[in-house]
Amino acid sequence: MIKKEVVVIGGGPSGMAAAIEAAKRGAEVLVIDSNQKAGGQLFKQIHKFFGSSAHRAGVRGIDIGNELLTEAKENGVEIWLNSIAIGLFAGKTVAVEIGTDDEEKQVVTVQAEKIVIASGASENVVRFKGWTLPGVMGAGAAQTMVNINRVLPGKRILMIGTGNVGLIVSYQLMQGGADVVALVEAAPKIGGYAVHASKITRAGVPIKTRYTVVEARGESRVEQAVIGQVDENWQIIPGTEEVLDVDAICIAAGLKPLTELAMMYGCRMDFDPVLGGWIPLHNHNMETSCEGIYVAGDITGVEEANTALEEGRLAGIDIAEKCGYISEADSEAEKAKVWERLDGLRLGPHGEARMQAKLHQINQFKEAVGGE
């Protein structure tokens, strides 16, 4: 049994932020990440962030990722790569599978005083005739291919969904040299920010609202996509079908929190469609109903990278306080600054619903568990 003071499961934005905040105040921190490089989604985000300077406006996600890795190294954060947390058991014990496909894998157990679950989210799928053909993939997978591996998933692409992921990935595929034939959205209006949509439309790519995919056609891979208009009951309107020549269909139909480890440990859960489904209840400090178990990032509800970073900071600061590295007064002052930035991120039409959902989540925690 390996013993650590703090274990962070997931090396994405929230996990790295939590690790850094705890480590720079003196805690011994281990990060467990399944990838070959920590940083998560940030290294797929080649676009510049926007907003205010407090929210890193004008800085590319990849640069923020590199900054986090540097800061983690400077503060002595230990990172296990190619490592998967396969279980979370009583006594804050994590079972970790270590090794790549080219190596003999082994399972070790790590016991911690505090644990942060920053496991992120997975892509939703849309099922339609031919959806298992090669060439049908999640938008996140396409983004990994083009931005991380420098491989285009196709030359002519149909994007399903117009949230920020669908819009941003479409533009990045175009930057990589692909022809995005169209974006289709079953809702009556686009789901993402207009600033992202305008870049798509200025390039001449049609965004077809009230449309969805009907079928993928092809022998050994995608060769065509059939789309059609939907009515107010989300049913295809006969006679509106169109056939598009494409070799890839990317699905940006939202994300769902990866909550299995929190459920396994017995954390109280709540269902909220605004935040992506089942989520673990937590307090203002990101601590769950299980003492010493924290959550941060998309596991608490799907939002942006900046909110994930801030939630990670909240968890890391509170852990540093609970482990005795900073005073309660200093901790509260630092957390107040983080909450001010978080509230700013959740302003506006796209953030208000999530802000209300987050507040509901915290209030549900108070009712179920008590305390703040």
Side-chain angles (χ1 to χ4, degrees), residues 181-253:
V181 176
L183 289 81
V184 296
E185 170 62 61
K189 61 181 181 179
I190 63 169
Y193 294 127
V195 65
H196 298 315
S198 64
K199 292 191 293 186
I200 301 292
T201 55
R202 283 200 303 267
V205 178
I207 298 178
K208 302 171 76 69
T209 57
R210 283 293 191 190
Y211 270 80
T212 191
V213 62
V214 178
E215 179 184 356
R217 295 174 177 173
E219 293 298 326
S220 58
R221 61 161 298 123
V222 173
E223 297 172 12
Q224 291 181 326
V226 180
I227 62 173
Q229 193 172 0
V230 298
D231 60 23
E232 63 275 7
N233 296 315
W234 311 101
Q235 300 301 307
I236 302 296
I237 300 174
T240 63
E241 294 87 353
E242 300 176 32
V243 179
L244 305 176
D245 291 326
V246 298
D247 57 4
I249 299 173
C250 298
I251 303 171

Side-chain angles (χ1 to χ4, degrees), residues 300-338:
T300 73
V302 178
E303 295 187 89
E304 307 291 340
N306 268 322
T307 54
L309 286 164
E310 299 292 9
E311 288 187 343
R313 291 181 182 120
L314 282 174
I317 294 167
D318 195 65
I319 287 170
E321 176 197 337
K322 297 293 173 53
C323 291
Y325 293 105
I326 56 173
S327 68
E328 181 179 354
D330 288 343
S331 173
E332 291 304 315
E334 290 299 314
K335 287 184 288 190
K337 295 176 186 176
V338 177

